[in-house]
């Protein structure tokens, strides 16, 4: 019995599978009692054969892969599925944007893929993954590990898997921290390149990863199934909004340098908490550093704030069922937290929350008026706000009057 089973498993994993019965075969193999070595052989073979699966059969096949991963090969299955679908996305973008010839596509994808059809297929896969991950914590952790280790591309599909995991309460904080950390580190690396000409010479390519662009693409999609990730996308965008940020410099060639350190302030006789703002130092060694002001952290905060504003604007304009929730969170961010004096914090001139509210009121005032109760609630806090902050809020809402 054992030798015969091993011979059959070995035969199945060495021969090519037919596309029309691959899903059913994988489903039946999941019910067979196999050794860990045999299950790993099946998992590796199943991932190899994913490229022969018809587009319409792909969700069902991926679902069987997710279920089989609870037995063996979770690492190979998660990374294999993400990499393959990411290549399909790349091929679809090439076909849509550039109309490239077939030989210019990735060799894994034999023909171009329709972008809308692929988005619908991915939406179904997301629902299958949502159910599988809710039943298998290890599957969720494997996806987070793959993205964290950069062993898979930060494609829209990979980002959407993370957003699906945020629907599970026990994974929400971990996934949110992972997304913020990945985006923040990439912007910080880019800030250092802006700060240092030497880094530009050593590392010509930008350190900014694809996750920020993937987030924009995910929130722009309206295909069936993608609504499962949109509420999580709102949470991510809100979390990226800094309370106070320094605007990006607009002058050509300007960059950021760290502000003066405590040691430098001491040498000039300034206190650690001096009320007089220190001037940012500039290094004039041409070819090593660019003349700059500010700091890499300021640059990073500004870029993350811009990304958050862009994501929220796309979500607000394209998905009407999210508008009330977005406005509620933006107003909550604008009002801020009570200070030690018992008054709400004053709005900063560069606060992205209020600038976002100003922008959507200017562009889609009718949509904002649909959430009048939320705006009325905000106005009730006016007596408790600093005068300057209250005036900013009133001026922001004035066009709706």
């Amino acid at each position: 019995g054992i030798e015969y089973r091993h011979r059959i498993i070995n035969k199945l994993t060495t021969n090519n599978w037919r596309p029309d019965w691959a899903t059913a075969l994988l489903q039946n193999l999941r019910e067979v009692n196999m050794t860990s070595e045999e299950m790993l052989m099946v998992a590796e073979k199943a991932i190899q054969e994913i490229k022969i699966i018809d587009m319409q059969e792909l969700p069902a096949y991926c679902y069987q892969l997710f279920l089989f991963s609870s037995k063996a090969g979770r690492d190979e299955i998660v990374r294999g599925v993400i990499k393959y679908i990411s290549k399909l996305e790349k091929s679809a973008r090439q076909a849509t944007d550039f109309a490239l010839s077939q030989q210019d596509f990735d060799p894994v994808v034999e023909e171009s893929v329709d972008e809308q059809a692929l988005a619908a297929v991915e939406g179904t896969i997301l629902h299958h993954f949502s159910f599988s991950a809710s039943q298998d914590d290890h599957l969720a952790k494997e996806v987070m590990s793959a993205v964290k280790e950069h062993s898979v591309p930060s494609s829209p599909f990979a980002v959407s898997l993370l957003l699906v995991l945020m629907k599970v309460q026990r994974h929400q904080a971990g996934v949110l921290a992972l997304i913020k950390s990945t985006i923040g580190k990439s912007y910080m690396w880019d800030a250092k390149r802006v700060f240092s000409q030497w880094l530009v010479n050593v590392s010509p390519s930008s350190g900014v990863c694809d996750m920020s662009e993937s987030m924009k693409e995910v929130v722009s999609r309206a295909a069936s199934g993608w609504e499962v990730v949109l509420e999580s996308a709102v949470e991510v965008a809100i979390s990226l909004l800094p309370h106070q940020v320094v605007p990006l410099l607009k002058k050509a060639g300007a960059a950021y340098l760290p502000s003066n350190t405590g040691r430098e302030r001491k040498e000039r006789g300034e206190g650690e908490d001096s009320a007089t703002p220190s001037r940012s130092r500039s290094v004039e060694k041409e070819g090593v550093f660019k003349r700059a002001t500010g700091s890499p952290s300021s640059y990073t905060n500004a870029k993350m704030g811009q990304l958050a504003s862009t994501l929220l604007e796309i979500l607000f304009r394209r998905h009407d069922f999210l508008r009330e929730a977005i406005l509620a969170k933006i107003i909550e961010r604008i009002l801020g937290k009570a200070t030690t004096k018992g008054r709400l914090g004053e709005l900063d001139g560069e606060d992205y929350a209020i600038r976002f509210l100003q922008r959507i009121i200017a562009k889609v005032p009718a949509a904002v008026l649909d959430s009048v109760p939320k705006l009325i609630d905000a106005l009730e806090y006016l007596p408790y706000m600093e005068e300057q902050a209250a005036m900013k809020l009133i001026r922001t809402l004035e066009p709706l009057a």
Side-chain angles (χ1 to χ4, degrees):
I2 295 177
E3 292 181 2
Y4 178 74
R5 183 196 65 202
H6 184 74
R7 189 163 63 251
I8 294 297
I9 296 297
N10 188 59
K11 204 168 189 179
L12 287 172
T13 54
T14 53
N15 294 331
N16 294 329
W17 292 6
R18 286 178 50 181
D20 53 342
W21 51 251
T23 302
L25 175 61
L26 187 57
Q27 182 179 6
N28 287 309
L29 286 173
R30 190 164 56 87
E31 305 299 329
V32 176
N33 291 324
M34 294 181 282
T35 64
S36 57
E37 181 183 353
E38 291 169 340
M39 288 188 291
L40 186 57
M41 290 170 58
V42 172
E44 292 174 347
K45 179 63 177 178
I47 282 297
Q48 291 175 8
E49 296 298 316
I50 193 174
K51 63 181 179 293
I52 70 168
I53 305 300
D54 182 72
M55 182 70 70
Q56 300 305 315
E57 279 294 315
L58 195 56
Y61 190 75
C62 287
Y63 179 56
Q64 293 302 324
L65 283 172
F66 293 146
L67 294 179
F68 193 88
S69 70
S70 62
K71 289 179 169 289
R74 189 179 293 109
D75 185 352
E76 290 80 4
I77 287 174
V78 165
R79 285 162 173 76
V81 169
I82 295 177
K83 288 178 180 179
Y84 178 70
I85 296 182
S86 297
K87 288 177 180 178
L88 288 179
E89 289 179 328
K90 181 180 178 181
S91 176
R93 281 195 300 271
Q94 289 175 338
T96 301
D97 298 338
F98 306 107
L100 296 177
S101 57
Q102 182 173 327
Q103 62 266 27
D104 289 329
F105 292 119
D106 195 289
V108 174
V109 185
E110 296 182 356
E111 57 185 30
S112 62
V113 181
D114 181 75
E115 197 166 16
Q116 291 185 346
L118 177 61
V121 167
E122 288 178 286
T124 307
I125 295 175
L126 292 179
H127 280 285
H128 289 324
F129 175 76
S130 177
F131 176 78
S132 302
S134 65
Q135 305 296 315
D136 184 5
D137 271 352
H138 296 291
L139 179 62
K141 292 176 181 177
E142 194 62 49
V143 171
M144 295 171 63
S145 175
V147 175
K148 185 176 182 179
E149 295 170 2
H150 303 292
S151 58
V152 295
S154 297
S155 63
F157 181 71
V159 170
S160 65
L161 292 181
L162 293 177
L163 295 177
V164 167
L165 292 180
M166 285 187 63
K167 304 284 287 184
V168 183
Q169 185 67 32
R170 57 184 176 275
H171 299 307
Q172 186 174 21
V175 173
L176 186 59
L178 173 60
I179 293 175
K180 289 182 63 178
S181 172
T182 303
I183 295 175
K185 286 178 181 178
S186 66
Y187 281 144
M188 179 59 76
W189 171 251
D190 196 51
K192 289 178 179 178
R193 293 180 74 255
V194 172
F195 158 69
S196 170
Q197 185 63 42
W198 177 80
L199 276 179
V200 175
N201 296 335
V202 172
S203 178
S205 61
S206 173
V208 176
C209 68
D210 298 329
M211 185 170 286
S212 58
E213 293 302 317
S214 295
M215 283 291 301
K216 295 176 188 177
E217 188 170 337
V218 167
V219 300
S220 299
R221 293 184 176 180
S224 176
W226 284 85
E227 59 273 3
V228 72
V229 305
L230 295 179
E231 291 182 4
S232 298
V234 173
E235 295 293 335
V236 171
I238 292 294
S239 70
L240 291 175
L241 280 175
H243 285 284
Q244 291 183 341
V245 296
V246 177
L248 290 171
L249 295 181
K250 297 181 180 179
K251 294 181 180 179
Y256 285 87
L257 284 176
S259 56
N260 296 309
T261 61
R263 180 180 175 183
E264 291 169 329
R265 290 195 296 269
K266 273 186 178 181
E267 290 174 355
R268 294 196 310 269
E270 295 177 6
E272 194 69 32
D273 298 319
S274 175
T276 305
S278 60
R279 300 171 66 183
S280 301
R281 67 183 175 93
S282 61
V283 183
E284 299 186 8
K285 292 182 179 179
E286 190 173 352
V288 180
F289 295 109
K290 301 175 183 178
R291 182 179 295 276
T293 58
S295 69
S297 61
S298 300
Y299 177 98
T300 302
N301 281 342
K303 294 290 284 186
M304 292 180 75
Q306 288 179 348
L307 174 61
S309 297
T310 301
L311 295 177
L312 288 171
E313 185 173 349
I314 295 172
L315 287 164
F316 191 87
R317 299 184 69 172
R318 293 181 65 95
H319 309 287
D320 53 356
F321 70 96
L322 293 173
R323 289 172 180 171
E324 188 171 341
I326 292 174
L327 274 180
K329 291 181 180 296
I330 285 295
I331 290 172
E332 180 182 346
R333 175 58 65 95
I334 289 174
L335 295 177
K337 297 180 180 180
T339 64
T340 54
K341 296 181 180 180
R343 301 176 67 84
L344 293 179
E346 183 179 343
L347 293 177
D348 183 81
E350 298 296 334
D351 187 272
Y352 279 91
I354 198 156
R355 291 172 66 186
F356 166 77
L357 188 57
Q358 291 169 348
R359 192 158 58 249
I360 61 172
I361 288 175
K363 292 183 178 180
V364 282
V368 180
L369 285 173
D370 291 337
S371 300
V372 167
K374 295 292 180 185
L375 302 178
I376 293 175
D377 290 343
L379 293 176
E380 291 180 355
Y381 284 92
L382 287 177
Y384 305 99
M385 299 175 69
E386 298 288 345
E387 182 180 355
Q388 186 178 357
M391 290 302 299
K392 288 180 181 179
L393 184 57
I394 291 173
R395 282 195 294 268
T396 298
L397 301 178
E398 192 174 9
L400 297 174

